[in-house]
Amino acid sequence: MKVKTFAHGIHPPELKDFTAEKAIESLPPPEKVMIPLLQHFGKPAKPLVQKGDQVHLGQKIGERQTLFSASVHSSVSGKVISVDNYNHPGGNPIPAVSITNDGQDLPFSDKEETKNPFSFSPEEIRQKVKEAGVVGLGGAAFPTAVKLSPPKDKPIETIIINGCECEPLLTSDYRLMLEAPEDILKGAELARIATGAKRIIVGIEDNKKKAFEIFQDKIQNFAGEVALLKTKYPQGAEKNLIYALLRREVPTGGLPFDVGVVVQNVGTAKAIWEAVSKGKPLYERVISVSGQGIMEPKNLLVRIGTPFKNVVEFCGGLKEDADILVMGGPMMGIVQWSLDVPVVKGTSGILAWAAPRPSLEYPCIRCGRCVENCPMTLVPTQLARYVKFDDLTAAEKWGVLDCVECGCCQYICPSKIPLVHWMRVGKNRIITLKQKKSA
Ligand code: SF4
Ligand code: SF4
């Protein structure tokens, strides 16, 4: 089979051996969970509970307020001890519901869905996904119900199921593909029904041949196909994935809707299936705990709101020389300063390693490597210079807003120039100026 890909990108060491063969284990629920009311792209949810309330497992404790928002649910049964600001792995403290776990896991609802899930209408599917607070589990945490609601003038032809997991070290999606392929495909089929798409394509990188073979077998029962993609970073970035599979380019500032596509991560597809077939809210997810700094790397099913500390302790703790802790992948993840932050819906991994010796930044030697490797075909060296000297008009004209912050340019730069920093600064300044103008 021909292996598909896009131009440029990089191939950092994969480092997946730490956990690729580790089956998913369930982490025992902690004594206390802190569940942030903002764990998704958009506005925070509004709290529905207060100190002293008893809650059940799966009970809605925060209601979505706007289209771009998602409801949040309790991941244990027990007593609410506070609704207050708490540390968040995104950086700033965020209002969160703290609950002591009574260890009972009393379910909020035990009524089983009796109707055939595939007989639901598109609107019923969207409604159930919305009720369950499902968001994209690849890291971006975009509300899934919004992705399943394409505008009327943008018909959807293809659902792409993203099984690339192109970030080094992470293997949680890989394990889900090995251990729950039917659930993923059933979720993909529901996404197809909800959007009116004609077909499903499951994209899997060629370093996950075992998963590819399983899906090739299982896809026979669905209107779809499985495609093998070159192992390359960022193969799983939406725009690159769409181009690799369909040779369609999402326009600047546009969305996959614009080219007739909806992309869902494999974990999200499984969450869609559970939301629609069982009414199960998104209160737990699979994460990889990995890196040279973790004593016993694992793939774990973890309740949302579990402190990182509990997760890391279950994996034997941190090694003595582990001084970098990251949520997500090593390329696009967020550095953490404390283990006292909760797992959120967007936590795909908790990684730790020993920091390399600090390296100095040198002047640009105009080697062009950042240009050769940028998957969005930008000119990072030039863009960084425009932003540094505050020429935002030129930076925008040269496409800084198309930067997906993948980090390829910075990874490859021999002068160690913090290119991603300059891209972020440029994007933020331009967006802020635009918002001020339109206010
Ligand atoms: S400029 Fe942006 S999109 Fe291009 S390599 Fe750098 S971070 Fe990635
Ligand atoms: S990779 Fe670094 S040194 Fe080379 S052109 Fe780009 S910014 Fe300059």
Side-chain angles (χ1 to χ4, degrees):
M1 175 178 275
K2 192 162 178 270
V3 177
K4 300 184 174 182
T5 194
F6 62 96
H8 303 189
I10 56 174
H11 189 174
E14 294 168 29
L15 305 173
K16 299 207 184 242
D17 293 348
F18 287 110
T19 50
E21 297 308 319
K22 303 269 181 81
I24 299 165
E25 289 176 56
S26 287
L27 176 78
E31 286 176 6
K32 192 169 107 179
V33 288
M34 280 71 64
I35 304 177
L37 292 161
L38 179 63
Q39 344 177 8
H40 45 263
F41 173 88
K43 298 268 184 235
K46 184 179 159 207
L48 297 174
V49 291
Q50 55 189 10
K51 185 176 172 183
D53 285 353
Q54 290 290 334
V55 292
H56 284 189
L57 174 65
Q59 180 176 333
K60 195 191 284 182
I61 53 172
E63 182 80 77
R64 70 193 275 277
Q65 289 301 290
T66 57
L67 178 67
F68 293 104
S69 181
S71 296
V72 294
H73 301 76
S74 180
S75 57
V76 294
S77 61
K79 191 171 180 180
V80 175
I81 48 171
S82 69
V83 181
D84 208 347
N85 275 358
Y86 197 80
N87 300 341
H88 190 283
N92 297 325
I94 295 283
V97 179
S98 298
I99 304 165
T100 48
N101 181 5
D102 62 14
Q104 306 289 309
D105 269 356
L106 297 169
F108 183 58
S109 161
D110 48 15
K111 71 172 184 336
E112 277 282 316
E113 186 56 71
T114 47
K115 201 172 156 187
N116 172 7
F118 299 117
S119 67
F120 285 120
S121 70
E123 189 44 41
E124 284 174 315
I125 294 172
R126 281 193 285 271
Q127 201 51 40
K128 284 175 182 294
V129 168
K130 203 184 288 174
E131 263 310 292
V134 180
V135 302
L137 298 184
F142 195 84
T144 302
V146 179
K147 269 196 172 185
L148 297 182
S149 312
K152 284 205 169 59
D153 60 341
K154 299 196 192 290
I156 300 304
E157 184 219 33
T158 308
I159 296 290
I160 294 179
I161 298 299
N162 187 350
C164 292
E165 202 169 47
C166 59
E167 280 261 13
L169 287 163
L170 301 181
T171 59
S172 51
D173 283 354
Y174 175 59
R175 290 310 311 182
L176 272 181
M177 287 192 279
L178 298 187
E179 298 179 36
E182 282 100 352
D183 287 3
I184 294 168
L185 285 169
K186 285 189 270 190
E189 174 63 7
L190 290 172
R192 192 190 69 74
I193 295 169
T195 55
K198 293 187 183 65
R199 60 171 175 170
I200 298 163
I201 303 180
V202 184
I204 301 177
E205 280 190 344
D206 61 1
N207 62 350
K208 303 177 188 69
K209 289 258 170 61
K210 231 197 276 182
F212 176 74
E213 281 159 19
I214 291 173
F215 273 78
Q216 265 204 320
D217 175 39
K218 306 276 179 200
I219 198 90
Q220 309 299 332
N221 303 325
F222 297 86
E225 61 190 88
V226 190
L228 202 55
L229 293 147
K230 188 170 174 184
T231 301
K232 188 162 84 169
Y233 178 83
Q235 188 69 79
E238 274 191 354
K239 291 182 179 182
N240 299 116
L241 182 58
I242 293 169
Y243 184 80
L245 291 172
L246 302 170
R247 291 288 181 263
R248 291 183 201 162
E249 278 187 46
V250 178
T252 299
L255 291 169
F257 284 158
D258 296 317
V259 292
V261 176
V262 166
V263 182
Q264 299 288 359
N265 156 275
V266 289
T268 317
K270 181 169 183 285
I272 292 173
W273 171 247
E274 291 175 338
V276 178
S277 67
K278 302 180 199 163
K280 182 183 170 189
L282 181 57
Y283 61 73
E284 59 186 355
R285 66 156 297 154
V286 178
I287 69 171
S288 295
V289 189
S290 190
Q292 296 91 335
I294 300 283
M295 294 297 272
E296 297 165 40
K298 293 177 190 290
N299 290 302
L300 296 174
L301 179 64
V302 180
R303 302 282 176 101
I304 302 297
T306 302
F308 278 24
K309 187 167 175 284
N310 295 50
V311 180
V312 169
E313 275 172 7
F314 188 72
C315 296
L318 294 173
K319 289 188 185 161
E320 260 184 29
D321 59 354
D323 36 23
I324 290 202
L325 186 73
V326 167
M327 179 183 84
M331 298 298 293
M332 290 185 76
I334 304 171
V335 174
Q336 303 296 311
W337 307 106
S338 163
L339 284 167
D340 189 20
V341 288
V343 167
V344 292
K345 294 176 185 177
T347 307
S348 52
I350 299 175
L351 310 176
W353 60 83
R357 272 186 292 159
S359 57
L360 293 172
E361 179 185 339
Y362 295 95
C364 174
I365 55 168
R366 298 189 173 262
C367 65
R369 286 192 210 169
C370 56
V371 184
E372 278 164 26
N373 289 281
C374 173
M376 300 307 293
T377 59
L378 301 175
V379 185
T381 173
Q382 193 61 31
L383 285 172
R385 214 166 295 134
Y386 286 141
V387 176
K388 225 176 196 173
F389 295 108
D390 214 23
D391 189 350
L392 297 179
T393 309
E396 188 177 0
K397 192 171 153 213
W398 281 70
V400 74
L401 294 178
D402 281 334
C403 169
V404 293
E405 300 175 22
C406 66
C408 290
C409 51
Q410 189 166 311
Y411 177 85
I412 213 83
C413 174
S415 294
K416 305 290 173 213
I417 298 170
L419 293 160
V420 182
H421 163 77
W422 290 117
M423 301 304 141
R424 284 189 185 137
V425 170
K427 286 169 72 177
N428 284 340
R429 282 191 194 152
I430 292 168
I431 290 165
T432 309
L433 280 176
K434 282 182 192 284
Q435 283 168 343
K436 273 189 191 159
K437 266 188 204 161
S438 64

